[in-house]
Amino acid sequence: MHTASSPQTLPPRMSTGIPGLDDILGGGLTPQRVYLVEGTPGTGKTTLGLQFLLDGAARGESGLYITLSETADELRAVAASHGWSLDALAIHELAGDEALDLDSQQSVFHPSEVELGETTRRVMDEVDCLKPVRVVFDSMSEMRLLAQNPLRYRRQILALKQFFAARGCTVLLLDDKSSASDQHLHSIAHGVVSLEQLAKEFGKERRRVNIVKMRGIRFRGGFHDYNLDTGGIVVYPRLVAAEHLSDFTPSISSSGTIGFDRLLGGGLVRGTNTLMVGPSGIGKTTLSVRCLLAALERGDRASYYLFDEGLGTFFARSAALGMDLRRYVENGQLRITHIDPAELSPGEFAQMLRDAVELHGIGFIVIDSLNAYLQAMPGEQYLTLQMHELLSYLNQQGVTTVLVLGQHGLIGEVRTDVDLSYLSDTTVLMRFFESNGRLRRALTVIKSRTASHALTIHELQLGAEGIRIGEPLEGFEGVLTGLPSYRGKTPMMSGDADDR
C-alpha cells in the first residue's frame, strides 16, 4: 500500500544553478525527472542549461549537453562570454555526428535528414556510455521536425523519458517556443519553465520567467523578472511580503525639523512609510533629505534611490541648503544609488531593496521619485500591486521609508499620474500659493495612521539656513488651490523664499 511521504522522507532538491530560480521553486528541482524549458530565441535557454550542468559539475555530478541545434564551438563561445569553461562537461553533437551518416558521400547532416529512431538510439548510447547525473537536450524543435508525425513524436519523447528515468538522470529539454505551445511536451514533462522576452519601445528589453507547472512541489507562481548578462541568468523572485514577517519595536524619531515633527504628531515612526506629494520644485526632495540626514545623525544606516536627478546636482543642492551628505557616503553609512528606469526592471529594484535591508542592515530608505519608477512598470495597476508588496515588506522589516511623488501643474489644478496615497501610512501634501505678488510654499499633513497629526496648513521656506516652517496660515482660505483669499491677518515669515 502506497503512503504519502512525510516532509522528512522527501528526496532532496537539485539546484538549477540559479539561486533566484531555486527560490521560486522552493529549493530547486526534484531529481531524476524530465523538465521542459521553453522560450523564444534570445531568452537564455542555452545559458540556463549550461548553468544547470556547471552547478552539477561544481558538486561532483557529471553532466552531458546533447545538441542538435548548436555546435560544440558555439556552446563554448557562449560559455566564454560568461567567463565559464566547459571542460568539466561532455558535449555531444548529433547534428554533425559521423555515426549518423546515412550516405557515405557526406559526413555532415542537418538534423532533419537524420532518422528519428537513429537519433534517439545515439542519445541512449551516449547516456549509457557516460552515465551522467544531469542532461540537457537542445532542442526539441529539431526532434519535432524529424518526427513529422505527432504520434511518432510523442512515442519517441515517452521512450526517452522512460529511458532517462531508468538511468536516474535529471534532464532539461530545451524547446524554441516559436509557435503554439507544445501540449505533448507539457503533458509529458514533470515540470515546465517558460522564459519570455518583451521588447519595449524605448530602453532595454525585459525578460521574465513563469513556472507553468511543477508536479509534487509548491512553487511561487506568476511572472518573475530576470536578467541575462555577463555571468549568466539572474532571477529576481516576485516579492511576497507575507513571506518576510519579522518582529521589531516601533519608535518615533525626529525628522530633523521641529516644526515638521509637530505636524507629524511627534516625528517619523519606525516601520511606516511617509509619502511626500507636490508639484516640481516645491521641496519634496529637500524635506526628504532633511529626514534622511536626521536618521544618519542618529547613527542609522540609510539608502537613497535617486531616479530623477544627477548625483552631482543632488549633492550640490543639498549642501547649499546646509545638508552635506558626502561624509556619510564616504564612511559607508549612506548608500546612494542612481537609477535609470529605462534599464531597470521592477523585480530587480525590489531585489535591490531586499538586499539593502537583509544584507546591509539599512533602516532608512528614500525613493525619489515614484513617477520615474512608474515608467518602469507595464501599467498603473501593476505599480499599485508592486508598491503594496514592497511597502508592506519594508514596514514588516521595521524600515522607515520616505516616498516622493511628483504632481503635474504648479498653481490651480494639480494632478498625479497615479494615486498611491491610500498605500502610505503618512501623507504630506505640499502646494505653491500666491500672496502679495510672491510665490510661496505651503505644507500640511493630510493623513497619519500612527499618530494624532496636526490639521493646520503652514508656510514652508527653504534657504541656506535649512528648512523653516511657519505658523498656521489662519488668515487664508483656499491655500491648497494655489489662489487663496485673504480673510485676516496672518504672521508671515520674513525674508523672500528661496526657490531652489
Side-chain angles (χ1 to χ4, degrees):
M1 178 178 177
H2 176 75
T3 58
S5 299
S6 66
Q8 291 75 20
T9 60
L10 289 175
R13 299 289 182 86
M14 175 178 283
S15 173
T16 62
I18 303 173
L21 186 55
D22 290 344
D23 184 276
I24 294 169
L25 295 170
L29 301 171
T30 302
Q32 303 179 18
R33 301 288 187 272
V34 174
Y35 300 91
L36 172 64
V37 178
E38 62 177 10
T40 56
T43 52
K45 300 183 300 297
T46 298
T47 301
L48 189 152
L50 291 175
Q51 284 184 257
F52 172 69
L53 294 182
L54 289 171
D55 178 79
R59 301 170 189 269
E61 300 169 354
S62 55
L64 170 64
Y65 197 109
I66 302 171
T67 173
L68 286 85
S69 56
E70 294 186 83
T71 66
D73 287 342
E74 289 174 326
L75 286 175
R76 291 189 180 95
V78 171
S81 70
H82 295 297
W84 304 334
S85 169
L86 301 185
D87 292 344
L89 306 180
I91 301 175
H92 184 63
E93 298 178 66
L94 288 177
D97 196 331
E98 291 185 2
L100 298 180
D101 190 353
L102 303 182
D103 187 334
S104 60
Q105 302 303 314
Q106 299 188 34
S107 60
V108 177
F109 276 80
H110 188 276
S112 62
E113 300 173 12
V114 182
E115 281 293 328
L116 178 61
E118 181 70 9
T119 301
T120 305
R121 183 184 65 79
R122 290 297 302 154
V123 169
M124 294 178 174
D125 289 347
E126 193 70 17
V127 170
D128 280 336
C129 176
L130 297 175
K131 296 180 173 53
V133 176
R134 302 187 184 205
V135 176
V136 172
F137 193 102
D138 183 8
S139 74
M140 299 312 298
S141 59
E142 306 294 346
M143 291 285 286
R144 196 178 297 112
L145 288 173
L146 289 176
Q148 299 181 344
N149 181 301
L151 179 60
R152 188 180 182 207
Y153 173 62
R154 184 178 178 86
R155 285 176 176 171
Q156 290 294 325
I157 300 305
L158 282 171
L160 279 174
K161 178 183 177 180
Q162 292 167 359
F163 171 80
F164 285 130
R167 302 310 189 273
C169 299
T170 304
V171 185
L172 299 187
L173 305 176
L174 309 187
D175 189 29
D176 289 331
K177 194 170 144 185
S178 52
S179 58
S181 178
D182 190 333
Q183 296 305 316
H184 291 294
L185 280 177
H186 277 228
S187 62
I188 292 172
H190 189 77
V192 179
V193 178
S194 178
L195 305 178
E196 292 186 11
Q197 181 173 254
L198 307 173
K200 296 173 66 71
E201 293 185 1
F202 179 81
K204 154 183 188 182
E205 73 280 355
R206 298 288 166 77
R207 293 183 172 94
R208 60 185 190 177
V209 58
N210 176 37
I211 309 301
V212 178
K213 85 167 191 179
M214 198 62 61
R215 291 175 182 151
I217 65 174
R218 295 186 63 183
F219 58 89
R220 190 180 292 108
F223 289 103
H224 311 266
D225 293 327
Y226 73 93
N227 279 346
L228 174 58
D229 210 336
T230 303
I233 290 176
V234 179
V235 175
Y236 307 106
R238 180 171 54 81
L239 181 60
V240 179
E243 298 177 355
H244 304 278
L245 299 176
S246 65
D247 293 327
F248 67 93
T249 302
S251 58
I252 298 178
S253 301
S254 173
S255 65
T257 304
I258 296 175
F260 191 35
D261 287 344
R262 293 197 189 103
L263 283 173
L264 293 169
L268 301 175
V269 181
R270 184 185 177 198
T272 67
N273 59 81
T274 300
L275 179 66
M276 308 281 190
V277 183
S280 177
I282 192 70
K284 303 181 299 297
T285 295
T286 300
L287 193 57
S288 300
V289 171
R290 178 61 261 186
C291 296
L292 170 75
L293 188 58
L296 294 170
E297 291 169 348
R298 291 192 300 269
D300 293 346
R301 297 180 63 83
S303 283
Y304 199 109
Y305 298 93
L306 192 63
F307 284 84
D308 299 330
E309 193 173 4
L311 283 173
T313 305
F314 175 74
F315 281 124
R317 187 159 63 94
S318 298
L321 294 169
M323 300 179 293
D324 190 2
L325 300 174
R326 290 186 183 274
R327 66 187 183 94
Y328 295 103
V329 174
E330 292 168 357
N331 67 21
Q333 191 179 344
L334 172 62
R335 303 164 64 92
I336 299 180
T337 306
H338 186 264
I339 294 175
D340 183 353
E343 299 296 316
L344 187 77
S345 68
E348 186 175 356
F349 180 62
Q351 186 64 49
M352 192 181 294
L353 293 182
R354 281 192 59 187
D355 291 343
V357 173
E358 298 172 14
L359 302 181
H360 304 292
I362 299 299
F364 194 100
I365 286 177
V366 181
I367 302 175
D368 183 5
S369 70
L370 292 177
N371 302 78
Y373 182 57
L374 172 63
Q375 305 307 315
M377 300 298 291
E380 176 182 321
Q381 68 273 27
Y382 302 114
L383 173 71
T384 304
L385 292 172
Q386 176 104 0
M387 287 307 301
H388 178 272
E389 292 298 320
L390 197 55
L391 294 178
S392 296
Y393 165 79
L394 292 173
N395 286 357
Q396 289 166 5
Q397 299 300 309
V399 177
T400 305
T401 310
V402 175
L403 311 167
V404 174
L405 180 62
Q407 295 181 305
H408 302 292
L410 297 176
I411 301 294
E413 182 181 356
V414 179
R415 60 186 179 84
T416 58
D417 290 320
V418 57
D419 182 15
L420 294 176
S421 59
Y422 74 96
L423 291 179
S424 65
D425 298 309
T426 302
T427 303
V428 179
L429 183 62
M430 307 170 77
R431 284 286 185 271
F432 286 113
F433 71 100
E434 180 188 349
S435 174
N436 294 329
R438 293 172 55 197
L439 192 63
R440 298 182 180 273
R441 296 176 172 94
L443 173 76
T444 186
V445 176
I446 62 174
K447 166 189 174 182
S448 177
R449 290 174 176 161
T450 56
S452 178
H453 64 95
L455 296 174
T456 48
I457 303 171
H458 298 250
E459 186 182 8
L460 169 69
Q461 280 195 348
L462 310 177
E465 69 281 0
I467 297 172
R468 299 174 61 198
I469 296 179
E471 296 298 320
L473 297 171
E474 296 176 349
F476 289 89
E477 288 185 4
V479 170
L480 299 185
T481 68
L483 297 171
S485 57
Y486 184 66
R487 300 297 185 187
K489 186 176 180 181
T490 300
M492 301 293 287
M493 289 189 291
S494 60
D496 292 335
D498 187 336
D499 291 331
R500 278 178 295 185

